Amino acid sequence: MSITKRRQFTDSAIKQAYEEAGSLSGMAERLNITYPTAATWAHELGLTLKHQGYNKPTLEITGLQCRHAREYLGLTRDMFCAKSKVSKTAIREFELGNSTLRKGNMDKVMKLFRHYRVTFNSDGTFE
């Protein structure tokens, strides 16, 4: 299928799609092909790919802030996890600074803190 679809596009059309989109996923979307096919075509044409790298997500609070606020509220980790519906492992690793929370889990944690009317300040404190 890929060979048949490849014949529909000239080399310059593929290069132009990549340049306009700025990424392989954008190129795939523009040409209505899969990401692996876009990667293969780019390799075959010798395109110089723009490596964007990984950007660590910006979190609303740190793990230490989470722990201190949770303890201030008098909630054990088990209680906090039950109320926020976030796993104990995720909260423990976040509070210890070993990992970050996924966006969905961070949203749940922040919702629980808002329920208790806890607000976090940019200087690392909370009220």
Side-chain angles (χ1 to χ4, degrees), residues 51-58:
H51 296 284
Q52 297 175 352
Y54 174 74
N55 294 323
K56 190 173 181 179
T58 305

Side-chain angles (χ1 to χ4, degrees), residues 96-114:
L96 293 173
N98 296 332
S99 68
T100 58
L101 289 177
R102 293 180 180 192
K103 183 179 179 341
N105 284 341
M106 180 59 80
D107 291 345
K108 291 175 185 178
V109 165
M110 295 308 293
K111 180 178 178 183
L112 182 59
F113 282 131
R114 281 192 297 276

Side-chain angles (χ1 to χ4, degrees), residues 60-127:
E60 297 180 55
I61 60 172
T62 66
L64 194 57
Q65 284 177 303
C66 180
R67 178 179 175 192
H68 287 175
R70 173 181 62 75
E71 290 175 348
Y72 175 79
L73 294 172
L75 298 174
T76 65
R77 191 174 289 140
D78 288 343
M79 293 165 55
F80 186 81
C81 293
K83 290 178 181 288
S84 67
K85 296 185 175 56
V86 177
S87 77
K88 293 176 193 176
T89 302
I91 294 296
R92 181 186 67 240
E93 293 301 303
F94 176 61
E95 287 183 351
L96 293 173
N98 296 332
S99 68
T100 58
L101 289 177
R102 293 180 180 192
K103 183 179 179 341
N105 284 341
M106 180 59 80
D107 291 345
K108 291 175 185 178
V109 165
M110 295 308 293
K111 180 178 178 183
L112 182 59
F113 282 131
R114 281 192 297 276
H115 171 76
Y116 283 104
R117 293 186 170 86
V118 174
T119 56
F120 294 90
N121 303 316
S122 60
D123 65 356
T125 61
F126 62 91
E127 301 171 9

Side-chain angles (χ1 to χ4, degrees), residues 15-34:
K15 289 177 183 178
Q16 182 179 354
Y18 178 75
E19 288 302 317
E20 289 174 357
S23 67
L24 284 177
S25 57
M27 177 181 125
E29 189 175 310
R30 284 177 181 262
L31 299 177
N32 195 26
I33 57 176
T34 64

